[in-house]
């Protein structure tokens, strides 16, 4: 959005005061519109040409009712979750997607949907500057465990914190040659107390391990920006989520967990469908698996999936495609 603001005026509209406060350092104008009259005032007094949406929240329909602006769905990640091919996408004028995998997923799932409304832009978030902070150069293998949350319905129950997490983390922090970065989704445990308790137990185990060995250096990373932990890790352990797709783009070895719930939808044509998934029963075998993957490197299947999901991911490519797509729809 900052790059877009170099070409066109950009504002960020939010509905909650707490969100506005969280954006106090945002370099772009932040508009707090808590209700329909406030949104209407802003939209009617400013020449808004495009409204971008980062999710399918039902509150979006307050602004979707305005016919003048171009309404574009951005999503907030690329993944194999069922929510990525929602019938709600029909509400927007255009849907900006990551690449071919997203296009195929949407057209395969939705009936009576015009594929001309889909525009591929890659993953601009991956172009943003990286953190310079580094970990100690002590030869340890850095493993990122970045599970998603439990989801709001059975088909979206991809979270592994309760089913896999404790056994997986216990094995990783028991090996002195491994440094763990635990990065839970910020909504872990919002719906299920068992998930929250499991995440708390994982954090406690990491704290105990660090106290027992001052050189262990295990980390709980809960900062908003996910890119540092991805850049410093050697192997990624993720659930079916946007973290899986983003890790894919690093071209480093990855492990994807198999949802414990039989109701969770696993897309056979997606990333998870092309790889062997780690079951909860085998979570304790993670060290052996990590070491095997580190020796072998990323599989050819994984590398093929990178282009299928994102297209060209050379530095700056996605951002340029995004900017060009915006100019195209404005024309």
């Amino acid at each position: 959005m900052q790059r877009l603001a170099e070409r066109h005026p950009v504002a960020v509209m939010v509905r909650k005061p707490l969100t506005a406060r969280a954006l106090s350092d945002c370099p772009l104008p932040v508009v707090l519109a808590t209700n329909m009259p406030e949104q209407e005032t802003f939209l009617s007094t400013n020449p808004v040409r495009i409204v971008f949406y980062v999710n399918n929240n039902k509150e979006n329909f307050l602004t979707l009712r305005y016919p003048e602006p171009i309404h574009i769905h951005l999503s907030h990640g690329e993944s194999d979750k069922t929510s990525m091919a929602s019938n709600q996408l029909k509400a927007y004028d255009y849907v900006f997607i990551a690449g071919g995998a997203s296009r195929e997923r949407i057209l395969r799932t939705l009936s009576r949907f015009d594929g001309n409304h889909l525009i591929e832009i890659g993953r601009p978030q991956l172009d943003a500057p990286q953190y310079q902070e580094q970990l100690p150069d002590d030869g340890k293998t850095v493993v990122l465990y970045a599970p998603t949350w439990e989801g709001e319905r059975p088909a979206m129950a991809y979270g592994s914190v309760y089913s896999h997490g404790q056994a997986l983390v216990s094995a990783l922090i028991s090996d002195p040659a491994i440094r763990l970065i635990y990065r839970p989704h910020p909504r872990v445990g919002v719906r299920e107390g068992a998930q929250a308790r499991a995440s708390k137990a994982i954090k406690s185990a990491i704290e105990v391990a660090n106290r027992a060995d001052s050189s262990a250096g295990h980390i709980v990373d809960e900062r908003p920006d996910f890119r540092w932990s991805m850049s410093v890790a050697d192997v990624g352990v993720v659930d079916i989520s946007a973290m899986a797709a983003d890790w894919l783009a690093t071209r480093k070895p990855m492990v994807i967990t198999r949802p414990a719930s039989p109701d969770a939808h696993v897309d056979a044509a997606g990333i998870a469908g092309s790889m062997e998934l780690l079951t909860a029963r085998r979570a304790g075998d993670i060290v052996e698996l990590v070491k095997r993957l580190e020796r072998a490197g990323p599989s050819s299947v994984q590398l093929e999936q990178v282009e299928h999901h994102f297209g060209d991911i050379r530095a700056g490519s996605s951002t340029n495609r995004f900017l060009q797509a915006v100019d195209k729809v404005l024309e």
Side-chain angles (χ1 to χ4, degrees), residues 81-134:
K81 289 185 175 183
T82 57
S83 58
M84 298 300 293
S86 167
N87 206 51
Q88 292 163 305
L89 297 180
K90 295 177 182 177
Y92 308 93
D93 296 307
Y94 295 97
V95 180
F96 283 8
I97 57 175
S102 183
R103 180 180 297 276
E104 291 173 7
R105 182 188 310 116
I106 291 167
L107 296 181
R108 185 175 64 246
T109 306
L110 303 184
S111 303
R112 302 170 298 282
F113 181 82
D114 186 352
N116 292 321
H117 294 180
L118 301 173
I119 300 179
E120 297 176 22
I121 61 167
R123 182 77 161 118
Q125 291 91 325
L126 299 178
D127 288 338
Q130 301 291 318
Y131 284 105
Q132 297 304 307
E133 175 189 347
Q134 296 297 317

Side-chain angles (χ1 to χ4, degrees), residues 50-281:
I50 290 179
V51 181
F52 293 105
Y53 301 85
V54 295
N55 60 31
N56 284 314
N57 190 290
K58 64 183 180 181
E59 298 296 322
N60 285 355
F61 285 83
L62 295 177
T63 45
L64 275 167
R65 69 189 183 90
Y66 294 97
E68 292 84 6
I70 301 166
H71 299 274
I72 300 176
H73 186 258
L74 288 179
S75 187
H76 52 284
E78 161 68 5
S79 76
D80 292 337
K81 289 185 175 183
T82 57
S83 58
M84 298 300 293
S86 167
N87 206 51
Q88 292 163 305
L89 297 180
K90 295 177 182 177
Y92 308 93
D93 296 307
Y94 295 97
V95 180
F96 283 8
I97 57 175
S102 183
R103 180 180 297 276
E104 291 173 7
R105 182 188 310 116
I106 291 167
L107 296 181
R108 185 175 64 246
T109 306
L110 303 184
S111 303
R112 302 170 298 282
F113 181 82
D114 186 352
N116 292 321
H117 294 180
L118 301 173
I119 300 179
E120 297 176 22
I121 61 167
R123 182 77 161 118
Q125 291 91 325
L126 299 178
D127 288 338
Q130 301 291 318
Y131 284 105
Q132 297 304 307
E133 175 189 347
Q134 296 297 317
L135 292 174
D137 185 14
D138 53 12
K140 291 191 177 189
T141 298
V142 181
V143 177
L144 169 65
Y145 174 42
T148 191
W149 70 301
E150 53 268 27
E152 81 281 358
R153 60 185 188 273
M156 293 275 286
Y158 298 113
S160 67
V161 172
Y162 177 73
S163 57
H164 297 62
Q166 288 174 265
L168 189 151
V169 167
S170 177
L172 290 170
I173 62 178
S174 297
D175 191 312
I178 289 176
R179 172 170 289 119
L180 172 67
I181 300 176
Y182 174 54
R183 182 179 173 81
H185 189 288
R187 288 182 61 80
V188 163
V190 167
R191 286 189 62 251
E192 297 179 4
Q195 300 277 355
R197 290 189 292 274
S199 186
K200 185 177 180 180
I202 287 171
K203 293 175 185 178
S204 297
I206 289 173
E207 185 180 343
V208 169
N210 283 339
R211 281 203 306 266
D213 178 4
S214 59
S215 68
H218 304 301
I219 297 167
V220 176
D221 182 16
E222 296 184 286
R223 68 182 96 189
D225 198 319
F226 60 88
R227 290 166 299 139
W228 173 79
S229 54
M230 289 179 58
S231 67
V232 298
D234 301 304
V235 179
V237 182
V238 295
D239 299 338
I240 296 173
S241 66
M243 286 300 294
D246 285 344
W247 184 267
L248 191 73
T250 69
R251 293 191 170 95
K252 293 186 284 191
M254 70 187 300
V255 178
I256 302 179
T257 65
R258 177 175 290 282
S261 170
D263 297 321
H265 174 73
V266 178
D267 185 358
I271 304 171
S274 65
M275 301 177 66
E276 182 182 355
L277 304 183
L278 180 68
T279 64
R281 186 170 55 84

